[in-house]
Amino acid sequence: QFCLFSWFGSLGSSSGARGVTMFSWVKQEHGSHNKEGEMYQTVTEGLQTLYSKKLLPLEETYLFHDFHSPALEPADFQSKPMVLLVGQYSTGKTTFIRYLLEQDFPGMRIGPEPTTDGFIAVMYGENEGVVPGNALVVDSKKPFRKLNAFGNAFLNRFICSQMPNQVLQSISIIDTPGILSGEKQRISRGYDFAEVLRWFGERVDRIILLFDAHKLDISDEFSEAIRALKGQDDKIRVVLNKADQVDTQQLMRVYGALMWSLGKVINTPEVVRVYLGSFWAKPLQNTENRRLFEAESQDLFRDIQSLPRNAALRKLNDLIKRARLAKVHAYIISYLKKEMPTLFGREKKKEELIMRLPEIYTILQREHHISAGDFPNVNKMQDMLQHYDFHKFPSLKMKLIESVDKMLATKIAVLMAMIREEESKQPAPFVSGGAFEGSQDGPFGQGYGEGISAGADAEDWIVSRDKHRYDEIFYTLMPVNGKITGVNAKKEMMNSRLPNTVLGKIWKLADCDQDGMLDDDEFALAQHLIKIKLEGYELPSELPDHLVPPSHRKNPAAKTLYNHTED
């Protein structure tokens, strides 16, 4: 032992550089570090560290939290992905949650009248129960502490519904009050509903706007709610619920009317994604569009299931957006400070600067090369500036700005690499359980027994059912030694009017022995694949086993069975 310790001691004293080099692998084994020696074990830890050390000092210096958004806390970085449901009353928001979870949750009320009169955070918990809002905002493990600023009027209508459910192990769901219409929307809620939605919109991973096929009007309160979610367009999805209550012709009109209504409220050139369906566990009232509804629901499920996998990337994206806004805010505040007189005429100058705010935005854009889209809403900023003494604003501190710039230029790239590394080392997490469980495998999975998978569980070769028709065509193409050339096959296959790229793929799949010619079985297979494509299904990259012609299978028993069937 003495000799071993002496050897380590002499090694350390003789050459510090050699010791560092020799043991550098110890640090590389765990986490990621940069030139300043900061070490991140996980992406979440890296985001939290960058925010507290680089961005938070800038926000606190220039009163960012008073003007825009409260400071982020550790729970904001560590929380599960959240889904926010927004819609008018009786559009099926609570029923949609019940459909996903496949069980009732504490505090749930469903009815045609406005039943959900508050916000409900449906989250995972070992014991089923309800946590009231005032107790919720003092829990440091929950990402709701900053909701305390909205006061008792809101907190009395905010609860957390906890329950042991497999879906909630991966995501949390926020149910909102039904948005009112007509005379009801004039009734005050007692708190700023739009601001609460904005707060949630900044923190959730997905925002789902629900519409009823019979309620397409967008009330003033709904318009205000959608405008409050401005800047979160990439998170928004639209669900047209109860679509089974109208027939196909009416559904087309309803869809067009919905897109027209949304176009007036969501001012973006991109068309928002709309999912059609009936999201509850009841029989469809109109089964004309059953296949469409199934495909749409599967698309929506896949979108929700991807949230845990993309959670770190979403938080990184939100941090970058926040950093850009904080920088712009610092430039605005410091410019107003610089323009203020030292002694006299402060109030008059303040009014003048507030009136000139749009012009100041333009000046700052040119001076600091900032995009106009990074600036906050000018009208809202003008209203808020009325309550502040510009003379007390801090001057521009370039050191804070440079620190954020350096974070955006170098540190973010380190975290991006860590995200890809984490994804490669561990299987991608996804939402499971509830309605997500029975929709993937088995005979009721999407596409089962259709298209390319048709005949997978049949004893006979599915192509043989129409082979007599294909054989008639085959023998008109003048086969030689039981095979037709590519030239002759091309003439017949071109009659399908499919593009050459598709027909080329079909040829490769059908030419099982790859001899550049087709026998009668291979030709029948090619015709079957053309039929599948014309029916709107996708072609596989490799031919499934059940479609391989029995005469080309390696299993002799299959060939014997096929010949017996032919006889």
Side-chain angles (χ1 to χ4, degrees):
Q1 289 177 352
F2 174 76
C3 293
L4 187 62
F5 287 130
S6 300
W7 181 75
F8 272 115
S10 62
L11 179 66
S13 60
S14 62
S15 174
R18 273 167 41 203
V20 171
T21 305
M22 184 170 183
F23 293 104
S24 60
W25 60 269
V26 177
K27 290 185 179 179
Q28 293 172 2
E29 283 288 322
H30 306 284
S32 177
H33 59 88
N34 50 41
K35 294 178 181 178
E36 296 180 5
E38 294 173 348
M39 186 96 167
Y40 310 137
Q41 296 292 336
T42 62
V43 175
T44 302
E45 181 189 338
L47 289 170
Q48 195 173 327
T49 304
L50 287 182
Y51 174 74
S52 59
K53 289 188 177 181
K54 306 296 180 183
L55 187 54
L56 186 59
L58 181 71
E59 292 182 354
E60 291 176 338
T61 302
Y62 294 99
L63 311 175
F64 179 86
H65 306 143
D66 296 340
F67 283 85
H68 301 288
S69 177
L72 299 178
E73 297 195 337
D76 291 311
F77 295 98
Q78 297 162 7
S79 62
K80 295 184 182 78
M82 291 191 288
V83 179
L84 178 69
L85 299 181
V86 182
Q88 297 188 144
Y89 71 91
S90 193
T91 52
K93 296 186 300 298
T94 307
T95 305
F96 181 80
I97 300 175
R98 169 72 179 77
Y99 177 69
L100 292 183
L101 302 182
E102 291 190 343
Q103 69 178 100
D104 296 344
F105 57 89
M108 182 185 82
R109 287 178 60 211
I110 296 175
E113 75 282 3
T115 50
T116 305
D117 62 348
F119 286 76
I120 303 177
V122 187
M123 307 180 77
Y124 182 82
E126 293 295 337
N127 300 314
E128 189 172 308
V130 172
V131 181
N134 283 286
L136 198 58
V137 295
V138 296
D139 187 352
S140 60
K141 295 181 180 179
K142 298 284 193 300
F144 306 122
R145 282 164 60 91
K146 296 299 180 180
L147 285 171
N148 190 47
F150 294 103
N152 277 330
F154 166 72
L155 295 179
N156 290 337
R157 292 176 175 83
F158 178 44
I159 63 171
C160 176
S161 176
Q162 292 184 325
M163 58 187 297
N165 184 282
Q166 192 176 352
V167 174
L168 299 177
Q169 288 181 332
S170 306
I171 59 171
S172 300
I173 307 174
I174 312 296
D175 194 9
T176 61
I179 293 175
L180 305 175
S181 59
E183 288 294 321
K184 294 177 182 176
Q185 62 186 321
R186 298 184 182 180
I187 303 171
S188 174
R189 295 182 183 271
Y191 59 90
D192 194 333
F193 180 68
E195 280 301 314
V196 174
L197 281 183
R198 180 179 287 110
W199 188 94
F200 276 109
E202 291 173 353
R203 287 159 176 79
V204 300
D205 296 71
R206 186 67 73 238
I207 301 168
I208 297 180
L209 304 179
L210 271 97
F211 288 87
D212 187 331
H214 297 289
K215 273 187 197 168
L216 295 180
D217 60 309
I218 299 179
S219 64
D220 293 342
E221 189 178 38
F222 202 1
S223 298
E224 186 182 356
I226 294 175
R227 281 193 291 269
L229 300 172
K230 187 177 181 181
Q232 315 298 333
D233 304 325
D234 58 320
K235 301 178 182 179
I236 294 178
R237 304 288 185 270
V238 176
V239 170
L240 179 58
N241 199 13
K242 307 180 183 179
D244 63 319
Q245 297 181 5
V246 295
D247 59 30
T248 304
Q249 186 180 18
Q250 290 173 326
L251 184 60
M252 291 176 64
R253 293 173 179 169
V254 166
Y255 182 82
L258 175 61
M259 298 303 291
W260 180 80
S261 300
L262 287 172
K264 296 195 299 180
V265 183
I266 302 178
N267 298 317
T268 57
E270 298 87 3
V271 178
V272 67
R273 176 66 164 99
V274 178
Y275 298 91
L276 310 175
S278 179
F279 296 94
W280 65 344
K282 298 286 181 70
L284 296 176
Q285 294 188 21
N286 194 322
T287 58
E288 288 179 23
N289 300 304
R290 181 188 186 102
R291 198 161 143 194
L292 170 66
F293 297 156
E294 288 175 355
E296 291 285 284
S297 66
Q298 290 301 316
D299 286 350
L300 180 60
F301 284 179
R302 277 193 291 270
D303 185 68
I304 295 174
Q305 282 183 306
S306 69
L307 294 180
R309 184 175 66 250
N310 301 325
L313 201 58
R314 196 274 305 169
K315 289 172 183 174
L316 181 66
N317 184 58
D318 285 354
L319 185 69
I320 294 171
K321 285 199 294 187
R322 189 181 179 99
R324 292 166 71 94
L325 179 59
K327 271 183 57 184
V328 170
H329 180 76
Y331 285 133
I332 296 170
I333 295 298
S334 59
Y335 184 90
L336 296 175
K337 163 72 174 179
K338 184 179 70 173
E339 294 294 308
M340 286 298 287
T342 309
L343 294 175
F344 304 108
R346 290 182 182 173
E347 282 301 317
K348 187 176 180 181
K349 187 65 175 177
K350 174 182 172 180
E351 293 178 7
E352 179 194 332
L353 288 172
I354 291 176
M355 289 293 294
R356 286 182 50 227
L357 194 60
E359 180 189 341
I360 292 171
Y361 277 17
T362 307
I363 294 171
L364 293 175
Q365 285 177 41
R366 288 198 303 265
E367 184 179 343
H368 299 286
H369 309 289
I370 304 171
S371 169
D374 289 345
F375 282 79
N377 182 279
V378 66
N379 296 324
K380 182 184 175 186
M381 198 70 178
Q382 286 174 323
D383 293 340
M384 298 193 72
L385 286 170
Q386 299 281 356
H387 309 291
Y388 289 88
D389 183 357
F390 291 6
H391 187 68
K392 294 181 180 179
F393 283 167
S395 302
L396 186 62
K397 298 179 181 178
M398 285 307 299
K399 189 175 181 181
L400 292 174
I401 299 289
E402 289 169 359
S403 179
V404 173
D405 283 337
K406 188 176 180 181
M407 177 192 80
L408 293 173
T410 60
K411 310 294 176 61
I412 295 298
V414 174
L415 292 181
M416 282 292 293
M418 283 189 67
I419 290 176
R420 289 191 290 268
E421 188 179 347
E422 285 187 0
E423 288 177 350
S424 64
K425 286 184 177 179
Q426 56 189 10
F430 66 97
V431 183
S432 60
F436 301 97
E437 197 69 31
S439 59
Q440 300 297 326
D441 304 318
F444 296 99
Q446 184 187 7
Y448 186 89
E450 300 175 359
I452 206 69
S453 65
D457 52 0
E459 292 185 3
D460 61 334
W461 185 40
I462 188 172
V463 182
S464 64
R465 300 172 189 177
D466 295 318
K467 192 170 182 299
H468 61 283
R469 291 193 297 106
Y470 301 146
D471 282 349
E472 290 178 7
I473 301 172
F474 177 79
Y475 288 111
T476 63
L477 300 175
M478 296 179 294
V480 177
N481 296 327
K483 294 190 175 186
I484 58 173
T485 62
V487 175
N488 290 342
K490 179 180 178 181
K491 293 177 183 177
E492 176 61 31
M493 293 171 69
M494 290 287 285
N495 291 333
S496 65
R497 299 184 181 181
L498 289 171
N500 283 349
T501 52
V502 176
L503 292 175
K505 186 174 183 179
I506 290 174
W507 173 271
K508 288 182 179 179
L509 292 171
D511 188 10
C512 299
D513 52 13
Q514 298 180 354
D515 62 350
M517 304 178 77
L518 300 181
D519 60 21
D520 58 334
D521 284 351
E522 290 173 325
F523 179 77
L525 174 60
Q527 294 296 310
H528 180 73
L529 293 174
I530 288 173
K531 176 186 172 187
I532 288 173
K533 188 62 182 176
L534 291 176
E535 289 175 350
Y537 297 100
E538 292 300 320
L539 296 173
S541 55
E542 293 183 6
L543 192 67
D545 292 340
H546 70 278
L547 286 183
V548 176
S551 58
H552 290 270
R553 293 178 189 175
K554 295 180 180 179
N555 183 6
K559 187 173 181 178
T560 305
L561 177 64
Y562 172 65
N563 291 334
H564 177 72
T565 306
E566 287 293 298
D567 294 341

